[in-house]
Amino acid sequence: MSKIKIAELFYSIQGEGRYMGVPSVFLRTFGCNFKCQGFGMSKGELSTEIEPIAERIAEFKTYEELPLVSTGCDSYASWDPRFKDLSPMLTSDAIAERIVEILPYKTWLDEHLVITGGEPLLGWQRAYPDLLSHVYMNQLKEITFETNGTQRLTSEFKEYLEEWYMKMPGTRCVTFSVSAKLPCSGEKWEEAIRPDVVREYEEIGYAYLKFVVATEEDLNDAERAVDEYRAAGFQGPVYIMPVGGVERVYTLNNRAVAEMAMRKGWRYSDRLQVPLFKNEWGT
Ligand code: SF4
């Protein structure tokens, strides 16, 4: 039986992208290939906000006790190895049982499953078929992978998803919400902007791009990236979303980002989890 290292598993409202407002189960896997230390920082600077938290790691017994951060990656504990002991390795049976417990009617109705991270398309692709084939997951119709768009799908996982569709023809949907990282994240362009990878997601599901922006410079970077994705044949929609894992930062630029979206003819994505739930863990 497959196992997955799970940073968080909770039920909430999807706050971002295509399924904004939809009741959703969030499965946050452990591990990421990036660090995104540039978010919320001046150009060229990297956040060190998690360093004092990591030094006090012994004080924190659960994920929920960890402090939120306003710079860098807001889900730092889902990939930084110093926090790995807060994320248990669970069998697919244990995960499916926990999911059924937190669904309001103890079965899937209109809820959707979000597999997020960290980066959920790292090695865990080999474990998802066991989980998605579990009897408790039979009624699930919609899944979103929240990915940074740098990881290719394995041929085994692609084949599995084709079979998964065919069990409920015409009703199931897999979405790839690709939050491609612009230079404001602190990651390198050539590693973060991978049109060749994202184009492949469209062959197996519905895919869209979602960029976190704060400034006109970010917007110009997003435009350059979109040009590269389009040149590779990518056809899905483009969302832009304000930076800000805490309300103080988010409210500074959400309106400006909405106006940028209107100007470009792109979609605006909110971060409903910030005004609704203050972006606390488990929301
Ligand atoms: S890709 Fe996502 S999870 Fe990974 S470091 Fe960046 S923001 Fe965090």
Side-chain angles (χ1 to χ4, degrees):
M1 189 187 308
S2 299
K3 290 183 176 178
I4 306 176
K5 195 166 174 62
I6 298 296
E8 288 188 288
L9 176 53
F10 59 93
Y11 177 63
S12 188
I13 295 285
Q14 171 60 289
E16 306 174 2
R18 181 188 191 195
Y19 285 92
M20 202 166 65
V22 176
S24 305
V25 171
F26 289 80
L27 182 68
R28 189 184 298 287
T29 60
F30 187 86
C32 189
N33 53 325
F34 287 156
K35 293 186 174 168
C36 296
Q37 285 174 282
F39 279 138
M41 302 296 291
S42 303
K43 194 171 178 184
E45 289 182 16
L46 297 178
S47 170
T48 54
E49 202 178 334
I50 61 174
E51 295 311 311
I53 305 172
E55 282 167 19
R56 292 167 44 218
I57 182 66
E59 291 173 30
F60 307 110
K61 302 291 173 241
T62 66
Y63 227 82
E64 291 71 31
E65 293 170 28
L66 291 168
L68 302 178
V69 294
S70 57
T71 57
C73 171
D74 62 0
S75 50
Y76 61 92
S78 69
W79 53 264
D80 188 312
R82 292 171 291 184
F83 300 91
K84 70 177 188 318
D85 292 341
L86 295 175
S87 298
M89 187 74 94
L90 299 179
T91 63
S92 47
D93 275 4
I95 297 167
E97 282 160 20
R98 176 74 187 124
I99 287 174
V100 163
E101 273 170 32
I102 60 179
L103 283 169
Y105 293 94
K106 311 302 171 204
T107 186
W108 294 95
L109 294 172
D110 195 30
E111 302 87 359
H112 115 283
L113 174 66
V114 183
I115 303 185
T116 187
E119 171 46 54
L121 296 177
L122 288 169
W124 304 124
Q125 287 187 50
R126 68 178 178 276
Y128 297 140
D130 263 5
L131 174 63
L132 298 176
S133 301
H134 193 283
V135 65
Y136 289 167
M137 307 296 271
N138 281 352
Q139 298 307 313
L140 172 66
K141 296 183 199 72
E142 292 164 289
I143 306 172
T144 294
F145 288 96
E146 290 187 334
T147 172
N148 60 27
T150 61
Q151 304 302 310
R152 286 188 190 284
L153 300 178
T154 64
S155 49
E156 292 81 11
F157 190 45
K158 281 197 258 188
E159 265 171 43
Y160 175 78
L161 289 176
E162 297 283 9
E163 286 167 21
W164 187 78
Y165 286 132
M166 292 319 294
K167 288 187 183 145
M168 271 193 205
T171 57
R172 283 183 155 170
C173 182
V174 173
T175 296
F176 296 89
S177 172
V178 179
S179 185
K181 301 301 176 232
L182 296 173
C184 63
S185 68
E187 299 300 330
K188 291 197 182 93
W189 183 278
E190 57 281 8
E191 288 168 18
I193 305 301
R194 295 291 308 276
D196 52 328
V197 171
V198 174
R199 178 67 197 86
E200 280 185 11
Y201 297 163
E202 280 193 314
E203 289 167 10
I204 196 79
Y206 178 90
Y208 61 86
L209 297 167
K210 184 174 57 149
F211 297 101
V212 176
V213 299
T215 63
E216 288 289 334
E217 188 176 355
D218 299 338
L219 189 68
N220 292 338
D221 287 336
E223 202 159 28
R224 182 181 150 209
V226 170
D227 286 347
E228 289 192 16
Y229 287 104
R230 294 283 185 237
F234 177 78
Q235 296 181 356
V238 177
Y239 288 75
I240 52 175
M241 184 170 84
V243 73
V246 293
E247 208 165 13
R248 178 170 44 82
V249 178
Y250 156 88
T251 50
L252 279 178
N253 70 347
N254 57 346
R255 179 171 174 155
V257 172
E259 288 169 355
M260 288 175 188
M262 289 193 292
R263 238 169 52 219
K264 294 288 175 196
W266 291 343
R267 300 181 185 191
Y268 171 77
S269 171
D270 210 288
R271 285 177 180 263
L272 286 181
Q273 66 274 30
V274 179
L276 284 180
F277 304 119
K278 314 298 177 215
N279 206 22
E280 288 163 359
W281 302 108
T283 63

